[in-house]
Amino acid sequence: MKIAIVLGTRPEIIKMSPIIRECERLNLDYFILHSGQHYSYQMDKVFFDQLKLPNFKYNLDVGSGSHGEQTGTLLSRIEKVLIKEEPDVVLVQGDTNTVLAGTLTASKLKIPVGHVEAGLRSFDRGMPEEINRVVADHLSEFLFAPTNISKDLLVHEGIPEDKIFITGNTVVDALFQNLKLSQDKAEILEKFGLNKKEYFLVTLHRQENVDCPKRLKSISNSLSKINNSFGFDLIFPIHPRTRKCLEKHGICLDGTKCIEPLDYLSFLFLQSQARLILTDSGSVQEEACILKVPCVTLRENTERPETIKVGSNVLAGTLPENILEMTSKMIKVTPDWTNPFGDGQSGNRIMEILISKFQ
Ligand code: UDP
């Protein structure tokens, strides 16, 4: 069995890392095809270095661009590699344009696709990620659903049950593999003048939040109100996309410590010691839940309903009064929920399934 692992962004590198580790451990024939969707050191290479991942065999250098440009360029570039390499299976993870292009190209070449983190739905087709997920799920031969909820959604959409495997989410594997190591980054608290459990961690990068100046302004107002009302520090590692939008619209974040995006271990440490997390990220909602840190999601919907169900997360939207209300509510919760995303063995499970199908 020859495997092509297609990835392109920060969360894909992190969530594919347990699968890459398994490929190494089992001495499988595989290669990494990097789309280059994320390309700066802080959004890309730092994760390969820190997670000790082998280098990619190909980097397609797609860079930034509109959705059509990015996806179109990737379709033709991925096709060339897959024709040359003739893998037996292509693995993609999540919901990016890299996933869309990887899945579409492989399917047209009749190469089966395995979708890691299948069956997530926000039911909001206004989100580019939702379109990518739906297409990837419906074209894949192996759907690795993290939970029962994601499996049920896929079945409901008519996907045959024998293509769906509940494996847990590889985010847990990556977190368990790195949490202890993240303790080495403890000095980050001192560096940014923070005290354990006395700060809120913020991340924000969804297109619908940051590309819309009204929503971005509303969130920035909320953050300064939170800073005034709760008296906790706010620390915000800013995604490059968000920084661009803040600068373009001249929006300032008063009372918030704005820093560059962090490496995975430093970010894990900051998450684990936060009093509360405010985010619109998908993976951060999961990680907050696993780390037992209350989360307030700055969106109207989530494709991670498991977090709402166990009580680790609430949806606050983007209006200051709602965000303040949800923050007051979540700061009081006892973090006694159970992690719904699995036992940290998802990478192993996924590879065993593939091995049983191909060997
Ligand atoms: N992350 C990181 N440094 C940061 C912010 C996030 O290493 O400064 C990690 C985080 O632990 C998670 C992933 O990046 O595993 C989340 O990526 P992002 O929010 O960009 O993507 P999403 O999950 O929303 O697709």
PDB file of all heavy atoms in Angstrom, residues 37-53:
ATOM      1  N   GLN A  37      -0.499  25.952   1.204  1.00  0.00           N
ATOM      2  CA  GLN A  37      -1.574  26.920   1.526  1.00  0.00           C
ATOM      3  C   GLN A  37      -1.140  27.811   2.693  1.00  0.00           C
ATOM      4  O   GLN A  37      -1.361  29.013   2.679  1.00  0.00           O
ATOM      5  CB  GLN A  37      -2.869  26.154   1.844  1.00  0.00           C
ATOM      6  CG  GLN A  37      -4.087  27.060   1.876  1.00  0.00           C
ATOM      7  CD  GLN A  37      -5.402  26.293   2.075  1.00  0.00           C
ATOM      8  OE1 GLN A  37      -5.526  25.127   1.701  1.00  0.00           O
ATOM      9  NE2 GLN A  37      -6.380  26.955   2.660  1.00  0.00           N
ATOM     10  N   HIS A  38      -0.528  27.223   3.723  1.00  0.00           N
ATOM     11  CA  HIS A  38       0.186  28.011   4.736  1.00  0.00           C
ATOM     12  C   HIS A  38       1.671  27.868   4.421  1.00  0.00           C
ATOM     13  O   HIS A  38       2.129  26.781   4.082  1.00  0.00           O
ATOM     14  CB  HIS A  38      -0.111  27.508   6.152  1.00  0.00           C
ATOM     15  CG  HIS A  38      -1.445  27.983   6.673  1.00  0.00           C
ATOM     16  ND1 HIS A  38      -1.976  27.563   7.859  1.00  0.00           N
ATOM     17  CD2 HIS A  38      -2.347  28.854   6.156  1.00  0.00           C
ATOM     18  CE1 HIS A  38      -3.162  28.151   8.052  1.00  0.00           C
ATOM     19  NE2 HIS A  38      -3.401  28.931   7.023  1.00  0.00           N
ATOM     20  N   TYR A  39       2.404  28.971   4.541  1.00  0.00           N
ATOM     21  CA  TYR A  39       3.782  28.926   4.025  1.00  0.00           C
ATOM     22  C   TYR A  39       4.799  29.664   4.891  1.00  0.00           C
ATOM     23  O   TYR A  39       5.993  29.467   4.740  1.00  0.00           O
ATOM     24  CB  TYR A  39       3.828  29.474   2.599  1.00  0.00           C
ATOM     25  CG  TYR A  39       3.037  30.765   2.442  1.00  0.00           C
ATOM     26  CD1 TYR A  39       3.603  31.979   2.735  1.00  0.00           C
ATOM     27  CD2 TYR A  39       1.695  30.734   2.047  1.00  0.00           C
ATOM     28  CE1 TYR A  39       2.855  33.149   2.622  1.00  0.00           C
ATOM     29  CE2 TYR A  39       0.941  31.898   1.941  1.00  0.00           C
ATOM     30  CZ  TYR A  39       1.532  33.101   2.237  1.00  0.00           C
ATOM     31  OH  TYR A  39       0.800  34.249   2.150  1.00  0.00           O
ATOM     32  N   SER A  40       4.341  30.520   5.845  1.00  0.00           N
ATOM     33  CA  SER A  40       5.347  31.227   6.643  1.00  0.00           C
ATOM     34  C   SER A  40       5.913  30.266   7.682  1.00  0.00           C
ATOM     35  O   SER A  40       5.302  29.237   7.990  1.00  0.00           O
ATOM     36  CB  SER A  40       4.714  32.428   7.342  1.00  0.00           C
ATOM     37  OG  SER A  40       3.773  31.973   8.292  1.00  0.00           O
ATOM     38  N   TYR A  41       7.071  30.608   8.233  1.00  0.00           N
ATOM     39  CA  TYR A  41       7.685  29.744   9.242  1.00  0.00           C
ATOM     40  C   TYR A  41       6.702  29.485  10.387  1.00  0.00           C
ATOM     41  O   TYR A  41       6.478  28.344  10.792  1.00  0.00           O
ATOM     42  CB  TYR A  41       8.986  30.380   9.788  1.00  0.00           C
ATOM     43  CG  TYR A  41       9.609  29.504  10.838  1.00  0.00           C
ATOM     44  CD1 TYR A  41      10.321  28.360  10.472  1.00  0.00           C
ATOM     45  CD2 TYR A  41       9.451  29.780  12.196  1.00  0.00           C
ATOM     46  CE1 TYR A  41      10.855  27.511  11.427  1.00  0.00           C
ATOM     47  CE2 TYR A  41       9.989  28.937  13.165  1.00  0.00           C
ATOM     48  CZ  TYR A  41      10.693  27.806  12.768  1.00  0.00           C
ATOM     49  OH  TYR A  41      11.206  26.954  13.716  1.00  0.00           O
ATOM     50  N   GLN A  42       6.060  30.574  10.863  1.00  0.00           N
ATOM     51  CA  GLN A  42       5.198  30.458  12.052  1.00  0.00           C
ATOM     52  C   GLN A  42       3.905  29.678  11.809  1.00  0.00           C
ATOM     53  O   GLN A  42       3.279  29.222  12.749  1.00  0.00           O
ATOM     54  CB  GLN A  42       4.790  31.846  12.526  1.00  0.00           C
ATOM     55  CG  GLN A  42       5.869  32.572  13.249  1.00  0.00           C
ATOM     56  CD  GLN A  42       5.530  34.037  13.307  1.00  0.00           C
ATOM     57  OE1 GLN A  42       5.241  34.655  12.281  1.00  0.00           O
ATOM     58  NE2 GLN A  42       5.554  34.604  14.490  1.00  0.00           N
ATOM     59  N   MET A  43       3.472  29.595  10.553  1.00  0.00           N
ATOM     60  CA  MET A  43       2.213  28.896  10.264  1.00  0.00           C
ATOM     61  C   MET A  43       2.461  27.509   9.666  1.00  0.00           C
ATOM     62  O   MET A  43       1.531  26.772   9.408  1.00  0.00           O
ATOM     63  CB  MET A  43       1.359  29.718   9.284  1.00  0.00           C
ATOM     64  CG  MET A  43       0.872  31.035   9.828  1.00  0.00           C
ATOM     65  SD  MET A  43      -0.201  30.871  11.278  1.00  0.00           S
ATOM     66  CE  MET A  43      -1.713  30.262  10.531  1.00  0.00           C
ATOM     67  N   ASP A  44       3.754  27.184   9.420  1.00  0.00           N
ATOM     68  CA  ASP A  44       4.015  25.942   8.683  1.00  0.00           C
ATOM     69  C   ASP A  44       5.233  25.199   9.241  1.00  0.00           C
ATOM     70  O   ASP A  44       5.111  24.253  10.009  1.00  0.00           O
ATOM     71  CB  ASP A  44       4.188  26.311   7.191  1.00  0.00           C
ATOM     72  CG  ASP A  44       4.678  25.186   6.334  1.00  0.00           C
ATOM     73  OD1 ASP A  44       4.450  24.027   6.717  1.00  0.00           O
ATOM     74  OD2 ASP A  44       5.290  25.451   5.276  1.00  0.00           O
ATOM     75  N   LYS A  45       6.420  25.678   8.918  1.00  0.00           N
ATOM     76  CA  LYS A  45       7.639  24.909   9.180  1.00  0.00           C
ATOM     77  C   LYS A  45       7.827  24.617  10.669  1.00  0.00           C
ATOM     78  O   LYS A  45       8.270  23.536  11.042  1.00  0.00           O
ATOM     79  CB  LYS A  45       8.838  25.680   8.610  1.00  0.00           C
ATOM     80  CG  LYS A  45      10.180  25.042   8.852  1.00  0.00           C
ATOM     81  CD  LYS A  45      10.836  24.635   7.559  1.00  0.00           C
ATOM     82  CE  LYS A  45      12.090  23.797   7.655  1.00  0.00           C
ATOM     83  NZ  LYS A  45      12.588  23.419   8.918  1.00  0.00           N
ATOM     84  N   VAL A  46       7.449  25.586  11.507  1.00  0.00           N
ATOM     85  CA  VAL A  46       7.632  25.392  12.952  1.00  0.00           C
ATOM     86  C   VAL A  46       6.935  24.108  13.431  1.00  0.00           C
ATOM     87  O   VAL A  46       7.428  23.419  14.325  1.00  0.00           O
ATOM     88  CB  VAL A  46       7.149  26.636  13.748  1.00  0.00           C
ATOM     89  CG1 VAL A  46       5.654  26.837  13.653  1.00  0.00           C
ATOM     90  CG2 VAL A  46       7.556  26.549  15.213  1.00  0.00           C
ATOM     91  N   PHE A  47       5.822  23.766  12.801  1.00  0.00           N
ATOM     92  CA  PHE A  47       5.082  22.563  13.228  1.00  0.00           C
ATOM     93  C   PHE A  47       5.805  21.286  12.779  1.00  0.00           C
ATOM     94  O   PHE A  47       5.844  20.309  13.514  1.00  0.00           O
ATOM     95  CB  PHE A  47       3.638  22.612  12.720  1.00  0.00           C
ATOM     96  CG  PHE A  47       2.917  23.816  13.270  1.00  0.00           C
ATOM     97  CD1 PHE A  47       2.691  24.930  12.480  1.00  0.00           C
ATOM     98  CD2 PHE A  47       2.529  23.861  14.598  1.00  0.00           C
ATOM     99  CE1 PHE A  47       2.078  26.057  12.994  1.00  0.00           C
ATOM    100  CE2 PHE A  47       1.921  24.989  15.130  1.00  0.00           C
ATOM    101  CZ  PHE A  47       1.691  26.090  14.325  1.00  0.00           C
ATOM    102  N   PHE A  48       6.385  21.302  11.574  1.00  0.00           N
ATOM    103  CA  PHE A  48       7.185  20.147  11.130  1.00  0.00           C
ATOM    104  C   PHE A  48       8.362  19.945  12.078  1.00  0.00           C
ATOM    105  O   PHE A  48       8.653  18.827  12.494  1.00  0.00           O
ATOM    106  CB  PHE A  48       7.702  20.378   9.693  1.00  0.00           C
ATOM    107  CG  PHE A  48       6.689  20.019   8.636  1.00  0.00           C
ATOM    108  CD1 PHE A  48       5.753  20.944   8.205  1.00  0.00           C
ATOM    109  CD2 PHE A  48       6.665  18.748   8.074  1.00  0.00           C
ATOM    110  CE1 PHE A  48       4.815  20.615   7.248  1.00  0.00           C
ATOM    111  CE2 PHE A  48       5.727  18.412   7.106  1.00  0.00           C
ATOM    112  CZ  PHE A  48       4.801  19.339   6.695  1.00  0.00           C
ATOM    113  N   ASP A  49       9.028  21.052  12.443  1.00  0.00           N
ATOM    114  CA  ASP A  49      10.204  20.959  13.317  1.00  0.00           C
ATOM    115  C   ASP A  49       9.799  20.451  14.692  1.00  0.00           C
ATOM    116  O   ASP A  49      10.353  19.492  15.204  1.00  0.00           O
ATOM    117  CB  ASP A  49      10.860  22.340  13.482  1.00  0.00           C
ATOM    118  CG  ASP A  49      11.517  22.802  12.178  1.00  0.00           C
ATOM    119  OD1 ASP A  49      11.630  21.976  11.248  1.00  0.00           O
ATOM    120  OD2 ASP A  49      11.887  23.987  12.095  1.00  0.00           O
ATOM    121  N   GLN A  50       8.782  21.120  15.271  1.00  0.00           N
ATOM    122  CA  GLN A  50       8.429  20.808  16.647  1.00  0.00           C
ATOM    123  C   GLN A  50       7.826  19.406  16.797  1.00  0.00           C
ATOM    124  O   GLN A  50       8.079  18.718  17.772  1.00  0.00           O
ATOM    125  CB  GLN A  50       7.412  21.844  17.121  1.00  0.00           C
ATOM    126  CG  GLN A  50       7.437  22.023  18.584  1.00  0.00           C
ATOM    127  CD  GLN A  50       6.754  23.301  18.987  1.00  0.00           C
ATOM    128  OE1 GLN A  50       5.589  23.514  18.663  1.00  0.00           O
ATOM    129  NE2 GLN A  50       7.455  24.142  19.713  1.00  0.00           N
ATOM    130  N   LEU A  51       7.043  19.001  15.812  1.00  0.00           N
ATOM    131  CA  LEU A  51       6.406  17.690  15.894  1.00  0.00           C
ATOM    132  C   LEU A  51       7.321  16.592  15.332  1.00  0.00           C
ATOM    133  O   LEU A  51       6.920  15.436  15.232  1.00  0.00           O
ATOM    134  CB  LEU A  51       5.066  17.708  15.145  1.00  0.00           C
ATOM    135  CG  LEU A  51       4.008  18.628  15.772  1.00  0.00           C
ATOM    136  CD1 LEU A  51       2.878  18.928  14.802  1.00  0.00           C
ATOM    137  CD2 LEU A  51       3.447  18.017  17.045  1.00  0.00           C
ATOM    138  N   LYS A  52       8.525  17.007  14.968  1.00  0.00           N
ATOM    139  CA  LYS A  52       9.547  16.076  14.451  1.00  0.00           C
ATOM    140  C   LYS A  52       9.014  15.248  13.274  1.00  0.00           C
ATOM    141  O   LYS A  52       9.153  14.023  13.223  1.00  0.00           O
ATOM    142  CB  LYS A  52      10.062  15.170  15.564  1.00  0.00           C
ATOM    143  CG  LYS A  52      10.696  15.942  16.708  1.00  0.00           C
ATOM    144  CD  LYS A  52      11.502  15.037  17.620  1.00  0.00           C
ATOM    145  CE  LYS A  52      12.340  15.791  18.610  1.00  0.00           C
ATOM    146  NZ  LYS A  52      11.704  16.892  19.338  1.00  0.00           N
ATOM    147  N   LEU A  53       8.385  15.929  12.346  1.00  0.00           N
ATOM    148  CA  LEU A  53       7.822  15.244  11.187  1.00  0.00           C
ATOM    149  C   LEU A  53       8.862  15.208  10.066  1.00  0.00           C
ATOM    150  O   LEU A  53       9.633  16.157   9.900  1.00  0.00           O
ATOM    151  CB  LEU A  53       6.570  15.975  10.682  1.00  0.00           C
ATOM    152  CG  LEU A  53       5.439  16.099  11.698  1.00  0.00           C
ATOM    153  CD1 LEU A  53       4.275  16.891  11.116  1.00  0.00           C
ATOM    154  CD2 LEU A  53       4.961  14.707  12.134  1.00  0.00           C
TER     155      LEU A  53
END
